[in-house]
Amino acid sequence: MHLRAVTVVVCSAALLAACDFEGGDPVQHALRDAAAARQAAALKTTEEEQAVAAKRAASAPAEGDELSRLISARRQAVEDTRALLTATADPALKGQLTGDLKAEEARLRALEARAAAQ
C-alpha cells in the first residue's frame, strides 16, 4: 500500500513537471504570439472584405439582373478611369488612360443600348 502511495505521488509530480506554466523556450512563445497576431490580422482583413462586399451588394441595382449589374460596373469603371486621368501627371499614363476611357465608354454605350432594346 505504501508503494502505491509513493507511485501515485511520483506520477503526479511527473505530470506536473510535464505541464508548461508559461515557462519554456521564449522563442517558441514569440513564434506563437506572432502566429496569433497574423491570424488576428487575417481575420480582421476578411471581416473588412466581407463588409465591403455586403455594402457593394446592398448598393447593387434592385432588379438584380446581370445586365444592370454589368452596366453599373462599367459606369463605375468609367468614373474611376476619369478620376485617375485627372489625378495623374504622367503623359504616357494619361495617353493610355485616355484610350482606356474611350474604350470603356464605348462598351458602356453598347450595353446601355442593349438594355434599352430589351
Side-chain angles (χ1 to χ4, degrees):
M1 184 70 150
H2 182 55
L3 182 60
R4 286 185 188 172
V6 171
T7 305
V8 168
V9 169
V10 169
C11 288
S12 297
L15 282 173
L16 283 175
C19 294
D20 187 15
F21 296 109
E22 293 300 321
D25 188 10
V27 173
Q28 289 297 323
H29 288 291
L31 290 173
R32 217 174 301 136
D33 292 344
R38 282 192 305 273
Q39 179 67 25
L43 181 62
K44 182 179 179 184
T45 302
T46 302
E47 289 173 349
E48 290 171 353
E49 289 173 355
Q50 288 175 347
V52 168
K55 186 177 180 181
R56 203 176 299 135
S59 66
E63 56 271 4
D65 65 315
E66 292 180 22
L67 186 59
S68 295
R69 281 186 262 139
L70 185 57
I71 289 172
S72 176
R74 293 284 185 203
R75 285 182 183 147
Q76 184 64 42
V78 167
E79 290 174 19
D80 291 345
T81 306
R82 282 185 183 144
L84 185 57
L85 189 60
T86 59
T88 189
D90 183 16
L93 183 58
K94 277 192 179 227
Q96 183 180 357
L97 288 174
T98 301
D100 291 346
L101 181 61
K102 288 178 183 177
E104 198 64 44
E105 287 173 336
R107 289 185 201 111
L108 178 60
R109 283 191 301 273
L111 288 173
E112 287 173 338
R114 180 177 288 170
Q118 287 183 347

